[in-house]
Amino acid sequence: MSIADENTTVVIIGAGVSGLALGNFLLRSGIDCVIVEKRSREYVEQRQRAGVVDTRGVRMFRKWGLEDRVLGGAPLQLVMNFRIDGETRPLEFAADDYNDGRFCPQQVLVRNLIDVFVSDGGDLRFDADVSVENIDEHPRVHYRDSAGTDHAITCEFIAGCDGDRGVSRAAIPRAALTRYAHEYGYAWLTILAEVPPTHQSMMSLHARGFAGQFARGPHASRFYLQCPLDTSTAQWTDENIWAELETRFGEPVANKGRIVDTQLVPLRSVVYSPMSYGRLYLLGDAAHIVPPMSAKGMHLALHDAEVLAEALVHYQANDHDSSLLDGYSSTCLDHVWNYQAFAAWWTELVHNAGDVSYQGEFRHQIARADFKRLFESGSANRLFSEFITGMN
């Protein structure tokens, strides 16, 4: 069964942070859009991801009149807690004027963005098996819904917000994209556990590798263990996980709650250039990936969404002036590379400061010197703080 063609200005593929933020910005600006999402609403709203909206993100939602409707959670503490050689050392941020950040689990932000978009009259369609065509000039998005009905939407623009394995980037001719990538050579075993956090964050630098605990709401934590790339999750029993965490933290884990999920995540940085082709624009993980150590995936996704929203608003309000749309990729990539540089430096520093076996004693000592500088140099700490809080 098929339904007659529909028309809209923008089709947004993917109901993650970038797609939902873009949809809300366009809806508030009077620009017609439809969001189509492969997964179910239940899956999208329960998907566990990063938990921080930094200062730039909070101020962005405030500017668009959405702060009180989509952001929850406690203010972001301007401190990182480290266990270094068995000693707890808090690293306080120097950027006290950049304290708007919010601890907000991504699933909460996504759920709130969905609620606002739908309640304000937005068109959001889940369980959509999507394909695209004619992205050069006259884009069309096809999808089949969960009932087996085929739909086609003709639009002026497509926003590809469907992640690293989505259909959006795959629709761009391979020769038109350049992929830049760096593999760090190790992975994280990520562990979601029903353990109330004692801090918003705790990170350990240990000779056996990095370990971390990050809050995921009041009753859950995400733990991380640095592992070789050939590690199998099967070898990590619950007993082994808790024992290794205690070894690397150098203290008992007070509450060993139920482990809900474990996954192996190879650390990598990826950038695709350009971030647009014809009338298709890539956002978030469809265009770039940063290692989780930097906690900047959400930051970059929201930045992309705002840049594209402002370009589309300008296009509609200025007789189809495409100057901002034409500059979308270069504007975003300037910001992306700035944060890729930070992410690569911070990821290598934290892992080399603990694990001598990865790059050797020389890089270990360099990392320790860099790390010491963050505690002792006001200028180094302030530059670091500006990146962490999202204001560089």
Side-chain angles (χ1 to χ4, degrees), residues 158-171:
I158 297 174
C161 308
D162 51 344
D164 184 45
R165 295 184 176 89
V167 301
S168 298
R169 193 180 67 241

Side-chain angles (χ1 to χ4, degrees), residues 165 186-191 222-236 261-268 292:
R165 295 184 176 89
Y186 42 78
W188 275 5
L189 181 72
T190 72
I191 306 116
R222 180 77 75 176
F223 293 90
Y224 300 99
L225 287 168
Q226 179 186 352
C227 302
L229 289 172
D230 59 358
T231 297
S232 167
T233 55
Q235 73 190 66
W236 286 98
D261 180 61
T262 58
Q263 296 181 36
L264 196 69
V265 179
L267 268 62
R268 60 190 176 125

Side-chain angles (χ1 to χ4, degrees), residues 56 82 86 140 159 181 196 204 220 258 273 308 327 329 359 368:
R56 183 185 290 271
F82 286 91
R140 283 165 59 85
S204 175
R258 183 173 72 96
S273 178
L308 185 57
S329 180
Q359 285 192 334
R368 282 298 178 106

Side-chain angles (χ1 to χ4, degrees), residues 55-260:
T55 293
R56 183 185 290 271
V58 172
R59 293 181 181 178
M60 181 196 68
F61 283 124
R62 184 178 302 151
K63 184 181 78 174
W64 289 88
L66 290 166
E67 178 186 8
D68 294 339
R69 301 181 69 189
V70 303
L71 290 179
L76 186 64
Q77 296 176 0
L78 294 181
V79 62
M80 283 185 172
N81 296 290
F82 286 91
R83 291 281 291 174
I84 305 174
D85 301 325
E87 175 188 356
T88 299
R89 294 195 64 186
L91 176 61
E92 297 184 7
F93 299 170
D96 293 333
D97 50 335
Y98 302 148
N99 60 353
D100 280 351
R102 202 78 59 83
F103 173 74
C104 181
Q106 185 167 324
Q107 68 270 24
V108 174
L109 176 61
V110 164
R111 184 166 61 245
N112 292 343
L113 285 167
I114 289 173
D115 289 343
V116 170
F117 185 74
V118 173
S119 65
D120 286 355
D123 190 343
L124 175 51
R125 309 177 190 186
F126 292 97
D127 298 300
D129 187 10
V130 178
S131 63
V132 301
E133 65 178 12
N134 300 335
I135 61 175
D136 287 344
E137 296 182 0
H138 304 291
R140 283 165 59 85
V141 174
H142 299 266
Y143 73 92
R144 176 168 291 179
D145 64 24
S146 57
T149 302
D150 292 321
H151 303 254
I153 309 173
T154 300
C155 56
E156 292 188 59
F157 305 100
I158 297 174
C161 308
D162 51 344
D164 184 45
R165 295 184 176 89
V167 301
S168 298
R169 193 180 67 241
I172 298 175
R174 186 170 297 182
L177 282 177
T178 299
R179 182 180 185 268
Y180 303 91
H182 173 64
E183 306 291 337
Y184 288 86
Y186 42 78
W188 275 5
L189 181 72
T190 72
I191 306 116
L192 180 63
E194 294 175 346
V195 175
T198 54
H199 306 277
Q200 286 187 3
S201 65
M202 173 65 80
M203 289 162 280
S204 175
L205 310 183
H206 191 274
R208 292 174 64 90
F210 171 82
Q213 178 184 8
F214 295 84
R216 290 295 182 263
H219 307 296
S221 295
R222 180 77 75 176
F223 293 90
Y224 300 99
L225 287 168
Q226 179 186 352
C227 302
L229 289 172
D230 59 358
T231 297
S232 167
T233 55
Q235 73 190 66
W236 286 98
T237 64
D238 290 7
E239 181 180 358
N240 290 341
I241 287 171
W242 293 123
E244 189 65 21
L245 285 168
E246 288 186 334
T247 296
R248 295 192 192 186
F249 280 120
E251 61 182 6
V253 177
N255 186 344
K256 299 176 183 177
R258 183 173 72 96
I259 292 177
V260 178

